[in-house]
Amino acid sequence: MNFRKKEIETGYANDLKRNLQLKDLIMLGIGAIIGTGIFVITGVPDANHAGPALTLSFVLAAVVVGLSGLCFAEFSARIPVIGGPYAYMYVVFGEFAAWFTGWFLICEFLLAVSSVASGWSGYMQGFLGSWGIHLPKGLTAGYNAANGTYIDLIAALVIVFITFWVSQEAKKALRLNNAMVWVKFFIIILFIAVGIFYIKPNNWTPFMPNGASSVFRGSSLVFFAFLGFDSVAMAAEEVKNPQKDVPKGIIGSIGIATILYIIVTLISTGVVPFAKLQVSDPMAFVMRYAGHGFLGSVISVGAILTLLTVTISMMYSLARLLYAISKDGLLPKQMQKIDQKTRTPKNATFVAGAFALFFAAAFPLQILAELTNIAALVYLMMVSGGILKLRKEFGKPEKGQFAVPFVPLLPILSVLACIFLIAQFSVTTYLVFAVTLVLGLAIYFFYGYRNSKMNNE
């Protein structure tokens, strides 16, 4: 087992093109974060069980994400290289911990891309259905013989499109993302501007109809509405001023997302009694409930368009992660090849797209979501704990670099908060996670350990 560590290096040759600025990073982060969460989460029955207090679930989840984000920000300022938390763990804990952090990240990004594509397919099928267009049932969802479904055709097609788009030059690939983020902002502002006039304060009473436990359960679900801020760290080697802009991009995207989630949830539960919000398109439903069917349709179309931003951001991050891990020899070297024209890791992008295509097309949405939950919290816990080791070995950040305040208190609180949310999951999730651990171990010892650059030096 290899516990050798990397040195902190920020001035080595970089094969990728540095042309991203702070606004690109914030747009990348918001594009990844604000998607299925704001358009779908308030309609999830378990989350909706919290009633109007779902806003507290978002606040609690934001606190957990914010603590992790602070730790990410310091790491990104001190180790501004591609690979994000994978690279951070390589420096502080060594290769074995780095591999598993990278493995959990691969699981998160891969399943997030696939699940969002699957959710996007549901929106699109609903939209087509309103025009009388229906696909054969066998092509409408992942494999479920009992329900007569075998492959999700629309999810597969959107993965193909996103893979091609992300293989382009980074600035071009993110241009569509940025445009769709502005569309997303327009839809949310439209929802707020209209919905605020239809709020009935009585709908907020009782505020916590099912007790504090429902708020905690809700927070374990809506936590994943915030995932995606880590995609900002993945872009470090394509940013003009990574030591300053990456931390700002992480904190900025989390802050903006939190404010929007809280406002939208308050309006949704204020306009519609929470028991009626158990629908797949809650924002559109709120507009229809208020008598604005046309605006509901506009929001539905907007959701269909802007959910693409989540898949773009996640696919972009997954490709860069595979590229970073392959550079260290832990994955096949073919994935570290850079396209001479676009200066992007095209092979890694196509590999990411191939696996995402398989999961999106073949697996039902609820199965895709299972692993994303616990894998993300475990690696966030490792990052927070890593700050303590970073400070012990390398001291405090230099002047001008972002520093986590109140160390060791905040990193320890971050670890405990992650453990608290992990404790909310079902036995099924733990079993799926155990299978993932075994698979990660097998890949490392049968390939990664033997081919590691550090192991062969």
Side-chain angles (χ1 to χ4, degrees), residues 413-429:
L413 284 177
S414 179
V415 171
L416 293 176
C418 290
I419 292 173
F420 174 77
L421 290 188
I422 289 173
Q424 309 298 317
F425 297 137
S426 67
V427 174
T428 302
T429 305

PDB file of all heavy atoms in Angstrom, residues 413-429:
ATOM      1  N   LEU A 413     -16.283  20.469  13.324  1.00  0.00           N
ATOM      2  CA  LEU A 413     -17.736  20.599  13.194  1.00  0.00           C
ATOM      3  C   LEU A 413     -18.203  20.096  11.830  1.00  0.00           C
ATOM      4  O   LEU A 413     -19.261  19.472  11.710  1.00  0.00           O
ATOM      5  CB  LEU A 413     -18.159  22.064  13.382  1.00  0.00           C
ATOM      6  CG  LEU A 413     -18.167  22.598  14.815  1.00  0.00           C
ATOM      7  CD1 LEU A 413     -18.539  24.085  14.816  1.00  0.00           C
ATOM      8  CD2 LEU A 413     -19.163  21.812  15.676  1.00  0.00           C
ATOM      9  N   SER A 414     -17.405  20.362  10.793  1.00  0.00           N
ATOM     10  CA  SER A 414     -17.758  19.910   9.445  1.00  0.00           C
ATOM     11  C   SER A 414     -17.794  18.392   9.385  1.00  0.00           C
ATOM     12  O   SER A 414     -18.717  17.798   8.810  1.00  0.00           O
ATOM     13  CB  SER A 414     -16.749  20.462   8.427  1.00  0.00           C
ATOM     14  OG  SER A 414     -17.060  20.021   7.124  1.00  0.00           O
ATOM     15  N   VAL A 415     -16.798  17.737   9.978  1.00  0.00           N
ATOM     16  CA  VAL A 415     -16.755  16.269  10.000  1.00  0.00           C
ATOM     17  C   VAL A 415     -17.970  15.719  10.744  1.00  0.00           C
ATOM     18  O   VAL A 415     -18.641  14.781  10.277  1.00  0.00           O
ATOM     19  CB  VAL A 415     -15.451  15.771  10.664  1.00  0.00           C
ATOM     20  CG1 VAL A 415     -15.515  14.263  10.894  1.00  0.00           C
ATOM     21  CG2 VAL A 415     -14.242  16.122   9.803  1.00  0.00           C
ATOM     22  N   LEU A 416     -18.278  16.293  11.918  1.00  0.00           N
ATOM     23  CA  LEU A 416     -19.410  15.819  12.723  1.00  0.00           C
ATOM     24  C   LEU A 416     -20.733  16.038  11.991  1.00  0.00           C
ATOM     25  O   LEU A 416     -21.637  15.192  12.053  1.00  0.00           O
ATOM     26  CB  LEU A 416     -19.427  16.540  14.075  1.00  0.00           C
ATOM     27  CG  LEU A 416     -18.258  16.226  15.013  1.00  0.00           C
ATOM     28  CD1 LEU A 416     -18.348  17.088  16.277  1.00  0.00           C
ATOM     29  CD2 LEU A 416     -18.238  14.745  15.378  1.00  0.00           C
ATOM     30  N   ALA A 417     -20.847  17.151  11.276  1.00  0.00           N
ATOM     31  CA  ALA A 417     -22.082  17.428  10.532  1.00  0.00           C
ATOM     32  C   ALA A 417     -22.272  16.413   9.412  1.00  0.00           C
ATOM     33  O   ALA A 417     -23.405  15.956   9.166  1.00  0.00           O
ATOM     34  CB  ALA A 417     -22.030  18.851   9.958  1.00  0.00           C
ATOM     35  N   CYS A 418     -21.195  16.044   8.730  1.00  0.00           N
ATOM     36  CA  CYS A 418     -21.289  15.032   7.679  1.00  0.00           C
ATOM     37  C   CYS A 418     -21.715  13.686   8.262  1.00  0.00           C
ATOM     38  O   CYS A 418     -22.552  12.982   7.691  1.00  0.00           O
ATOM     39  CB  CYS A 418     -19.952  14.889   6.954  1.00  0.00           C
ATOM     40  SG  CYS A 418     -19.506  16.300   5.909  1.00  0.00           S
ATOM     41  N   ILE A 419     -21.125  13.328   9.413  1.00  0.00           N
ATOM     42  CA  ILE A 419     -21.492  12.069  10.069  1.00  0.00           C
ATOM     43  C   ILE A 419     -22.972  12.079  10.449  1.00  0.00           C
ATOM     44  O   ILE A 419     -23.679  11.070  10.300  1.00  0.00           O
ATOM     45  CB  ILE A 419     -20.616  11.840  11.315  1.00  0.00           C
ATOM     46  CG1 ILE A 419     -19.172  11.584  10.895  1.00  0.00           C
ATOM     47  CG2 ILE A 419     -21.147  10.666  12.147  1.00  0.00           C
ATOM     48  CD1 ILE A 419     -18.192  11.507  12.059  1.00  0.00           C
ATOM     49  N   PHE A 420     -23.459  13.217  10.914  1.00  0.00           N
ATOM     50  CA  PHE A 420     -24.869  13.336  11.305  1.00  0.00           C
ATOM     51  C   PHE A 420     -25.787  13.060  10.118  1.00  0.00           C
ATOM     52  O   PHE A 420     -26.783  12.337  10.232  1.00  0.00           O
ATOM     53  CB  PHE A 420     -25.138  14.729  11.868  1.00  0.00           C
ATOM     54  CG  PHE A 420     -26.590  14.999  12.166  1.00  0.00           C
ATOM     55  CD1 PHE A 420     -27.188  14.469  13.299  1.00  0.00           C
ATOM     56  CD2 PHE A 420     -27.362  15.767  11.300  1.00  0.00           C
ATOM     57  CE1 PHE A 420     -28.530  14.705  13.563  1.00  0.00           C
ATOM     58  CE2 PHE A 420     -28.695  16.008  11.565  1.00  0.00           C
ATOM     59  CZ  PHE A 420     -29.281  15.476  12.704  1.00  0.00           C
ATOM     60  N   LEU A 421     -25.467  13.624   8.967  1.00  0.00           N
ATOM     61  CA  LEU A 421     -26.309  13.403   7.790  1.00  0.00           C
ATOM     62  C   LEU A 421     -26.174  11.970   7.276  1.00  0.00           C
ATOM     63  O   LEU A 421     -27.159  11.381   6.811  1.00  0.00           O
ATOM     64  CB  LEU A 421     -25.946  14.397   6.686  1.00  0.00           C
ATOM     65  CG  LEU A 421     -26.331  15.860   6.936  1.00  0.00           C
ATOM     66  CD1 LEU A 421     -26.083  16.697   5.688  1.00  0.00           C
ATOM     67  CD2 LEU A 421     -27.793  16.001   7.356  1.00  0.00           C
ATOM     68  N   ILE A 422     -24.984  11.402   7.366  1.00  0.00           N
ATOM     69  CA  ILE A 422     -24.799  10.006   6.950  1.00  0.00           C
ATOM     70  C   ILE A 422     -25.679   9.080   7.782  1.00  0.00           C
ATOM     71  O   ILE A 422     -26.225   8.090   7.287  1.00  0.00           O
ATOM     72  CB  ILE A 422     -23.315   9.593   7.073  1.00  0.00           C
ATOM     73  CG1 ILE A 422     -22.483  10.286   5.986  1.00  0.00           C
ATOM     74  CG2 ILE A 422     -23.148   8.074   6.967  1.00  0.00           C
ATOM     75  CD1 ILE A 422     -20.986  10.076   6.122  1.00  0.00           C
ATOM     76  N   ALA A 423     -25.859   9.427   9.062  1.00  0.00           N
ATOM     77  CA  ALA A 423     -26.662   8.598   9.967  1.00  0.00           C
ATOM     78  C   ALA A 423     -28.142   8.582   9.589  1.00  0.00           C
ATOM     79  O   ALA A 423     -28.902   7.746  10.089  1.00  0.00           O
ATOM     80  CB  ALA A 423     -26.506   9.097  11.408  1.00  0.00           C
ATOM     81  N   GLN A 424     -28.564   9.485   8.710  1.00  0.00           N
ATOM     82  CA  GLN A 424     -29.976   9.549   8.317  1.00  0.00           C
ATOM     83  C   GLN A 424     -30.319   8.550   7.206  1.00  0.00           C
ATOM     84  O   GLN A 424     -31.488   8.366   6.885  1.00  0.00           O
ATOM     85  CB  GLN A 424     -30.324  10.970   7.817  1.00  0.00           C
ATOM     86  CG  GLN A 424     -29.918  12.096   8.748  1.00  0.00           C
ATOM     87  CD  GLN A 424     -30.599  12.034  10.101  1.00  0.00           C
ATOM     88  OE1 GLN A 424     -31.787  11.785  10.196  1.00  0.00           O
ATOM     89  NE2 GLN A 424     -29.820  12.252  11.155  1.00  0.00           N
ATOM     90  N   PHE A 425     -29.324   7.897   6.616  1.00  0.00           N
ATOM     91  CA  PHE A 425     -29.575   7.038   5.463  1.00  0.00           C
ATOM     92  C   PHE A 425     -30.095   5.660   5.843  1.00  0.00           C
ATOM     93  O   PHE A 425     -29.999   5.233   6.999  1.00  0.00           O
ATOM     94  CB  PHE A 425     -28.297   6.891   4.619  1.00  0.00           C
ATOM     95  CG  PHE A 425     -27.810   8.185   4.022  1.00  0.00           C
ATOM     96  CD1 PHE A 425     -26.461   8.501   4.039  1.00  0.00           C
ATOM     97  CD2 PHE A 425     -28.705   9.065   3.467  1.00  0.00           C
ATOM     98  CE1 PHE A 425     -26.018   9.698   3.502  1.00  0.00           C
ATOM     99  CE2 PHE A 425     -28.267  10.257   2.913  1.00  0.00           C
ATOM    100  CZ  PHE A 425     -26.923  10.579   2.935  1.00  0.00           C
ATOM    101  N   SER A 426     -30.601   4.956   4.851  1.00  0.00           N
ATOM    102  CA  SER A 426     -31.158   3.622   5.061  1.00  0.00           C
ATOM    103  C   SER A 426     -30.069   2.551   4.966  1.00  0.00           C
ATOM    104  O   SER A 426     -28.957   2.802   4.489  1.00  0.00           O
ATOM    105  CB  SER A 426     -32.234   3.332   4.012  1.00  0.00           C
ATOM    106  OG  SER A 426     -31.648   3.245   2.724  1.00  0.00           O
ATOM    107  N   VAL A 427     -30.410   1.347   5.416  1.00  0.00           N
ATOM    108  CA  VAL A 427     -29.490   0.224   5.351  1.00  0.00           C
ATOM    109  C   VAL A 427     -29.101  -0.071   3.902  1.00  0.00           C
ATOM    110  O   VAL A 427     -27.957  -0.420   3.599  1.00  0.00           O
ATOM    111  CB  VAL A 427     -30.110  -1.032   5.999  1.00  0.00           C
ATOM    112  CG1 VAL A 427     -29.206  -2.245   5.805  1.00  0.00           C
ATOM    113  CG2 VAL A 427     -30.364  -0.787   7.480  1.00  0.00           C
ATOM    114  N   THR A 428     -30.052   0.099   2.978  1.00  0.00           N
ATOM    115  CA  THR A 428     -29.785  -0.156   1.558  1.00  0.00           C
ATOM    116  C   THR A 428     -28.635   0.706   1.049  1.00  0.00           C
ATOM    117  O   THR A 428     -27.750   0.228   0.327  1.00  0.00           O
ATOM    118  CB  THR A 428     -31.046   0.118   0.719  1.00  0.00           C
ATOM    119  OG1 THR A 428     -32.101  -0.711   1.190  1.00  0.00           O
ATOM    120  CG2 THR A 428     -30.787  -0.165  -0.748  1.00  0.00           C
ATOM    121  N   THR A 429     -28.639   1.977   1.451  1.00  0.00           N
ATOM    122  CA  THR A 429     -27.575   2.880   1.019  1.00  0.00           C
ATOM    123  C   THR A 429     -26.220   2.419   1.531  1.00  0.00           C
ATOM    124  O   THR A 429     -25.213   2.461   0.821  1.00  0.00           O
ATOM    125  CB  THR A 429     -27.853   4.316   1.507  1.00  0.00           C
ATOM    126  OG1 THR A 429     -29.146   4.723   1.064  1.00  0.00           O
ATOM    127  CG2 THR A 429     -26.822   5.290   0.975  1.00  0.00           C
TER     128      THR A 429
END
